[in-house]
Amino acid sequence: MPRDLLTTPADISSESLSFIKTINAEFEPFYINVKPGAGSVPNECFSNVDDYVTQHGGQKVIGWQIWEWPGIFAEAELHAVWKSAEGEYLDVTPKAESKILFLPDPKSSFTGSRVNNVRVALLETEMVSDFIAIGDAKHAIFGSLPNGTALEFWQQGIMKRLDAGTALLMTSFPKGAKPNKACPCKSGMKYQDCHRLEIKRTIEIARKVSE
C-alpha cells in the first residue's frame, strides 16, 4: 500500500481507532517524532533501530504504527522505535510523516518473517472489504518470502492480479467507496456486478494456494 495514501491519525480519541484495543488494551497510543538515523533505510525499522542502539545506546521498543485513510480504513503495522535511557522516543526510520502514532506492544516480536498488518474497515462496503481481503491474501502467499526473492511464474501471475485489484480500488476511495457505487473501471456497471467478480475470484485463488 503506497504510504502517501495513508496518514498518521490526527485524533487519538477517534472512534475509528477503537480497534487498537483489540491489539493491546494495556497501553495507550502516543505520538513520536520522526528523526531518521544516519544510514537508516526506509521500511527497515528493525535493523535501523538495532544500528541506532549500537551507535547511541538506549533500547529498541516494538509495537504498532497506526495509519488511517480517514473515513475508509485504518491499519496497524508492526514497527520498531528507539527509546533513550531518559525515556525519549524517536522513530529513526525515514518516512514522509513528521510524526507517527505508536502503540507499544511487549507481547509482539519480530523474528525475520513479515507480520501481517491489522486492518479494519471504517466504511462498510464491498470495495473496502475487498481491498482489505487483497492485503490479507498477499501476506498469506508472499509474507514469508525474504525481500528480494525472485518470484516463480505462477506467483508473478497472482501478484499481478492482486496488485491490479488494489490499484483499481484505490482510485475509488478519494471519491467515496459508497455501497452500490459504479465500478472504478468506468464501465457504467455497479462494482458488485463488474470487477468485483474478478477480484473475488483472484482472492479465492490466492487463499487456496496459500493453504
Side-chain angles (χ1 to χ4, degrees):
M1 154 61 71
R3 288 304 177 201
D4 56 344
L5 300 177
L6 292 170
T7 185
T8 296
D11 183 6
I12 295 179
S13 63
S14 171
E15 278 297 316
S16 64
L17 302 183
S18 60
F19 79 102
I20 292 174
K21 291 296 184 182
T22 67
I23 299 174
N24 192 322
E26 297 179 18
F27 293 86
E28 294 293 334
F30 55 92
Y31 291 109
I32 297 177
N33 290 326
V34 176
K35 186 178 180 181
S40 291
V41 180
N43 303 318
E44 296 294 339
C45 62
F46 300 100
S47 58
N48 289 338
V49 175
D50 287 338
D51 291 343
Y52 204 86
V53 169
T54 298
Q55 298 167 14
H56 303 278
Q59 67 182 94
K60 176 167 64 178
V61 178
I62 294 179
W64 300 85
Q65 180 176 355
I66 311 301
W67 299 93
E68 182 183 27
W69 191 327
I72 304 296
F73 71 93
E75 183 173 20
E77 176 183 15
L78 193 68
H79 192 58
V81 299
W82 176 78
K83 181 181 180 181
S84 73
E86 294 74 31
E88 177 192 14
Y89 287 85
L90 284 178
D91 184 355
V92 298
T93 298
K95 52 177 60 70
E97 306 288 304
S98 61
K99 65 178 181 180
I100 67 167
L101 184 60
F102 183 74
L103 175 71
D105 187 9
K107 297 178 182 178
S108 293
S109 61
F110 179 73
T111 59
S113 298
R114 297 183 187 90
V115 175
N116 196 15
N117 291 2
V118 178
R119 307 175 183 88
V120 60
L122 305 181
L123 187 65
E124 297 298 331
T125 69
E126 298 93 344
M127 287 185 179
V128 178
S129 63
D130 289 351
F131 183 86
I132 291 174
I134 289 174
D136 291 338
K138 285 183 179 179
H139 178 79
I141 297 178
F142 306 105
S144 62
L145 300 179
N147 291 337
T149 299
L151 300 180
E152 297 182 19
F153 182 76
W154 66 270
Q155 292 174 318
Q156 294 177 27
I158 293 178
M159 177 63 86
K160 184 176 180 179
R161 292 176 63 167
L162 292 172
D163 283 345
T166 296
L168 178 73
L169 292 173
M170 283 196 303
T171 63
S172 73
F173 292 163
K175 303 173 184 178
K178 298 179 181 179
N180 300 318
K181 185 177 175 66
C183 189
C185 73
K186 299 181 180 180
S187 65
M189 299 174 62
K190 293 181 179 179
Y191 168 68
Q192 61 187 18
D193 298 322
C194 190
H195 266 82
R196 189 179 197 212
L197 304 176
E198 176 62 22
I199 287 176
K200 285 179 69 67
R201 279 196 293 267
T202 300
I203 292 172
E204 185 60 29
I205 290 171
R207 285 175 176 166
K208 288 181 178 179
V209 170
S210 65
E211 293 172 356

